[in-house]
Amino acid sequence: MSSSPTYAYYPGCSGQGTSLEYETSSRAVCEALGVVLHDIPDWSCCGSTPAHTVDHVLSAALSARNLAQAETLTGVEGIATPCPSCLTNLKTAGRRMLDPQFKERVNSLLDTPVKQPLPAKSVLQVLFEDVGPAALKERVVKPLAGLKVAPYYGCILNRPPEVMEFDDCENPIAMDRLLEALGAEVVPFPLKVECCGASFGMPRKDMVMRLSGKLLDVAEDNGAMAMATACPLCQMNLDLRQSQINATSGKQHNMPVFYYTQLIGLALGLDKRLLGLNKLCVNPKAALQAAEQATAGAA
Amino acid sequence: MSAAPGNELRIIGFLCNWCSYGGADTAGVGRMTQPTDLRIIRVPCSGRIDPLFVLKALVNGADGVLVSGCHPRDCHYAEGNFYARRRLEVLKRFLQVLGIDERRFEYTWVSASEGQRWQEVVQKFTERIHELGPAPKITPDQMAMAETMAAQPR
Amino acid sequence: MKIGVFICHCGSNIAGTVDVAKVAEEVGKLPDVAYSTDTMYACSEPGQEGIIQAIKDHNLDGVVVASCTPRMHEPTFRRTVERAGLNRYMFEMANIREHVSWIGKDKESNTQKAVDLASIAVAKLTQDRPLIAKKFGVNKRVMVIGGGVAGIQAALDCADGGLEVVLVEKTATIGGKMAKLDKTFPTVDCSSCILGPKMVDVAQHPNITLYANAEVDSVKGYVGNFEVAVKKKATYVDWTACTGCGLCTEKCPSKKATDYFNEKIATTTAISIAFPQAIPKKASIDPEYCIKITKDKCGVCEKLCPTKAIRYDMQDETVIEPVGAIIAATGYDLFDYTRYGEYGGGRYPDVITSLQYERILSASGPMAGHIKRPSDGKEPKNVVFVQCVGSRDKSVDRPYCSGFCCMYTAKQAIQTKDHLPDSQTYVFYMDIRAPGKMYDEFTRRAMEEYGARYIRGRVAMIYPKGDKYIVRGADTLAGTQVEVEADLVVLAVGAEAAKGASNLAEKLRISYDKYGFYMESHVKLRPVETNTAGVFLAGSCQGPKDIPSSVAQGSAAASKVLGLFSKDELESDPQVASVDIKRCVGCGKCIETCPFGAIEETDFRGEPKANVIETVCQGCGVCTSTCPQGAIQLQHFTDNQILAEVNALCQQPLVTSFE
């Protein structure tokens, strides 16, 4: 197994709390598909969204510390992280440090300087490029046939394109292809890269109600029984706040919002405990059953 | 002629009439401020530039020489700049043999519409020459030594 | 030598940042300078008279003017010194405006630089020799490349002026973009009604030879005597026999061929005539779709054709056309809007281009003038227009304004209301650019009489919702985001340089800008000339233009050609290479390197020598820097002349000489 893709793994803070199920399912799926993940030793918070709005150097230093820690690992080809926000910070820091002056300023803040920033990728990119839909399809034991799912990438997984350098920034297809490989029916979802309201859930709840509400509306209009997402914050806005959205808009959404890794795990027949489906606020049972019945009826 | 006043260095430009000279004009029309060191000599085509012109300038005390022509494939004379490119590339390698810092010579392509590009080229090249400082001059001592050596019977 | 030097103030353009009196004083100290002064406007009438007077008073035999760029006024001052009896090449110019006063801030440095530039001009002038122009004959035929409205106008004007015209058109019919339009602004008159008769005139004019479905392969020669190779692409129909009856197109079983004329909103037959008013009205076969050519079956058209014109084995053919001048009128192409992923990137069938909408509106188009959605054929109710798609947008490298989109969008909004009185139109715009005659009034009418709702802002996203589309954009006047539900979205795609424009420019040896638009000789004063003598521009190949401007340029280019051809002989530029036969060793290197084949080998008392054909030499000087003997010298740019300039700038202060 010397040819297994091997990455330094950066879990990110939300994976330790609100998106625990994303964290465990990502690890489980990677393991099942032969992607080797080595945790970055003593990793720290990337600064999330607030840091870079205050100071670019300090913000880069937060991620640079993790880049430096990753350099202690051997045999890794890059860094993989499930969280788009962490990814943005890692990539932005690496990109900014191409400027030697900037790099020097960042390194002066660190105990161990960064030598050569490792390339960072999302787990989605790793699964799409290193495993690929065709190989994934072969490993499926329990196809998700009948499950009509809207793929939702969130606004920062592919943008800005010159930083993220993966997939089409307006119409990404990586998750679509992976979900199709699972046997799921991917419905056309034009708002793939629209903003969910992000962290405005605190200061301007109305904004999240409106933006995330529209995502749910359009997914439902396009026939989706469920949504799949790749971002902890998006998932939280769509799932945890779905009842608030319903209360505000008077609608009756009952749309389970999966992490795409949970769906891969289901199709691969992985241990349900690792997938953490019980952590979802909107119970997915009905949708999964409906999908099963639809295929049973068709068969 | 007297040397330039103040901190200016002597930089000579050989520009083709159709593209780069026009580009320098465009920069002027756009009032794109540039360092004043450069003195431009106009030639019809970069293919007209004999590498010896560049050498003559450098040997006679220029601190830098800049050549600019039309972009490859966009030559007013179809292929003059291809000849220029080959000659000037050889010259660049040859300068070191002569003991001249090859960074004092550069060639580039600027079209008549690229005023902004011309401004950047002048800015960068002038900065580079200033970093290198004035070209070494032959001192009276060296001169005397050369004469003594020349006078010695072989 | 007695040289006169004139330092121009150019009002305050030069004098503002250069001490011109000081320059005149310093340059006056040079050995060969007999007279040196400053002058307010050297190019003005009193300025030129001053130069002439000084030449006479001081018996000058050469003049230096330090003013603006020689690319602007060198010809002016050459004529001035000629009026005073000097040879026009006993004149040099120093550019102390574009290269000094406009780019340098420090007056002292500028003044010194101006002194230097004037001094190198003086140094060059001391080496100058009088040159005499030779005369050569002109072939009074003109080639027009491109059969859009600009090319048609140029061809007709030249032909009416008595010239023989060769019109080369890339597609199977002339008419260009204008032929695809339904109506034109600001009159809303029918495009084909005003263009059609002109196209017919082209077909019937005895002085015009039309090559449709043809392209320029190569260009040789020089002003007065070009030789252009025109490649006539295979049409698989013998056009001398084809009568354009259209029987073949009615019966052709292959009906899925790409309909380029209808901007791909419909398909056509493998053998087709572009549109009913096509000129020439001849059928041609798309070999990609022809069943006979691809599978060697069918052959219906061959059987049906009453004049037996079908030739399945036809090959491309090249003809050589000798002409004295060339007008490039190659037009523009549309920006590829699929680069905007946020507008669907081509995935949504009811998000179309403005030119596709013209074909929908056109009574002779595939929908016979009924506005219907391409997806389901339903009449749209809400039609949203999005302006500046591929214009004024740095993110797609199109920072320029395409100029005419504001107007045609207003026109299309008006037409939409005319066709569908119950419809509502919305226009997202950045600014309304309507500077032509009756243009602003026209856009006002679209808003006020036809109820088009203009929203000032960019569109961020278009996405489908059910069978409709949501167009989301900013309303920058209200400071809000707006969403409009649309049945049909029309993108006002910008204009970009025609595909292959740079390729043709290289053949014609003319310059083009970074977007591929051809460079005129002077932005304001020589708008249809190029820097290559005998090559002229008309229409959008020089930059996006509306119909009135294109027609005006077509006529302007024609008048330039007629002016050029008004003389039987042209004067050749004497700045050509010349061989010193005593130095020439006959190595032939110059013959090999000359890009124009202007040097031939001759026999001089049994020795091979180089000889320059002066009318062919273009004066690049490649030969001069190639010659190992210094035997071939480009006149006015000889080694000695250029070295004199170098020496004026660089004199190592040697204590003694090695000699």
Side-chain angles (χ1 to χ4, degrees), chain C residues 395-411:
Chain C
S395 72
V396 291
D397 194 30
R398 293 290 178 272
Y400 57 84
C401 173
S402 293
F404 44 67
C405 320
C406 288
M407 293 309 298
Y408 73 61
T409 300
K411 184 211 69 173

Side-chain angles (χ1 to χ4, degrees), chain B residues 6-146:
Chain B
N7 299 321
E8 266 186 25
L9 293 176
R10 179 59 82 208
I11 303 178
I12 314 295
F14 292 97
L15 271 64
C16 83
N17 177 53
W18 303 102
C19 292
S20 293
Y21 197 92
D25 284 351
T26 306
V29 171
R31 310 296 198 275
M32 296 171 187
T33 311
Q34 298 155 38
T36 44
D37 310 46
L38 178 73
R39 308 285 186 265
I40 292 171
I41 293 174
R42 184 168 67 125
V43 291
C45 176
S46 54
R48 171 65 191 93
I49 297 164
D50 192 320
L52 288 173
F53 298 161
V54 179
L55 276 181
K56 182 84 174 170
L58 288 169
V59 168
N60 280 10
D63 300 306
V65 175
L66 177 65
V67 168
S68 187
C70 306
H71 286 280
R73 295 179 60 78
D74 191 19
C75 176
H76 182 75
Y77 301 104
E79 50 198 52
N81 51 3
F82 288 129
Y83 287 105
R85 184 166 65 180
R86 243 178 286 168
R87 288 172 185 152
L88 297 171
E89 191 54 44
V90 170
L91 172 68
K92 211 164 186 196
R93 294 175 197 182
F94 186 58
L95 284 178
Q96 309 163 40
V97 181
L98 290 178
I100 296 172
D101 191 332
E102 78 276 11
R103 287 171 295 176
R104 294 192 182 277
F105 164 64
E106 193 57 88
Y107 65 91
T108 181
W109 319 116
V110 174
S111 83
S113 65
E114 294 176 323
Q116 203 166 351
R117 183 175 149 82
W118 176 249
Q119 180 191 31
E120 285 160 17
V121 165
V122 173
Q123 188 80 40
K124 277 197 185 142
F125 189 71
T126 309
E127 274 169 21
R128 187 207 284 186
I129 298 304
H130 275 267
E131 274 168 28
L132 293 170
K137 301 281 187 294
I138 299 172
T139 62
D141 289 352
Q142 289 168 323
M143 208 55 226
M145 198 167 79

Side-chain angles (χ1 to χ4, degrees), chain C residues 335-340 343 345-346 348 351-353 389 491 493:
Chain C
F335 175 81
D336 174 16
Y337 79 97
T338 61
R339 285 170 62 187
Y340 282 94
Y343 298 166
Y348 307 142
V351 177
I352 60 173
T353 70
V389 178
L491 305 177
V493 284

Side-chain angles (χ1 to χ4, degrees), chain A residues 132-141 180-182:
Chain A
L136 178 63
K137 192 171 183 180
E138 285 174 18
R139 303 288 305 274
V140 169
V141 295
E180 281 162 12
L182 305 177

